[in-house]
């Protein structure tokens, strides 16, 4: 069982500007308005752990499962009998910077959790990616 949603945005910002916002975990709520608070224990590297409190939801632990500086990162959160993987990437193709965020839910209770939180994630993801792109354009 799996469920997935993806959102992309193009921007005049550089990958460095996007990366600077991604690694500033305690301020993810600047561009993702579904996030009430977030934190990372230590450096932004593979295996690092953190916490995220969404608006209207319980605090969730996450682990960084892949970090490729200036290119991509992924983090994983666990739900009862389900896993949420958040994939973030940035690329420049023909002079255009594209940001892509993808969320994949897997395991036994995916059908249940996709109905409970999947719709909210699917609605919020494009908003967050567009806000990230816009904020990055203002950051130096």
């Amino acid at each position: 069982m799996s469920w997935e949603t993806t959102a992309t945005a193009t921007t005049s910002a550089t990958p460095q500007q996007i990366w600077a916002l991604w690694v500033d975990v305690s301020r993810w709520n600047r561009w993702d308005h579904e996030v009430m608070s977030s934190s990372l224990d230590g450096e932004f590297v593979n295996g690092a752990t953190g916490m995220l409190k969404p608006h209207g939801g319980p605090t969730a632990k996450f682990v960084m499962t892949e970090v490729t500086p200036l290119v991509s990162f992924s983090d994983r959160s666990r739900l009862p009998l389900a896993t949420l993987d958040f994939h973030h990437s940035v690329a420049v193709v023909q002079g255009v910077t594209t940001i892509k965020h993808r969320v994949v839910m897997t395991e036994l209770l995916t059908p249940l959790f996709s109905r409970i939180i999947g719709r909210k994630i699917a609605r919020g993801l494009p908003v967050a990616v567009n806000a990230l792109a816009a904020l990055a354009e203002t950051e130096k």
Side-chain angles (χ1 to χ4, degrees), residues 12-92:
S12 62
T14 65
Q16 291 83 357
Q17 289 168 295
I18 302 300
W19 191 258
L21 294 171
W22 280 341
V23 300
D24 191 3
V25 176
S26 66
R27 298 178 72 195
W28 280 354
N29 59 3
R30 289 179 67 205
W31 52 267
D32 188 342
H33 303 294
E34 295 296 326
V35 174
M36 182 178 241
S37 63
S38 51
S39 63
L40 187 66
D41 304 320
E43 299 295 316
F44 197 90
V45 296
N46 288 338
T49 58
M51 302 284 269
L52 185 137
K53 170 76 171 102
H55 286 284
T59 299
K61 295 178 183 179
F62 67 86
V63 63
M64 304 298 282
T65 57
E66 177 272 326
V67 176
T68 304
L70 302 176
V71 176
S72 64
F73 80 94
S74 297
D75 59 88
R76 174 173 285 169
S77 297
R78 299 277 308 151
L79 300 168
L81 299 177
T83 299
L84 272 172
D85 287 300
F86 294 82
H87 305 282
H88 312 78
S89 63
V90 62
V92 178

Side-chain angles (χ1 to χ4, degrees), residues 115-137:
R115 286 192 302 275
I116 294 172
I117 62 172
R119 291 181 191 129
K120 186 174 183 178
I121 292 170
R123 280 192 310 271
L125 203 61
V127 175
V129 173
N130 285 314
L132 175 66
L135 180 61
E137 290 172 6

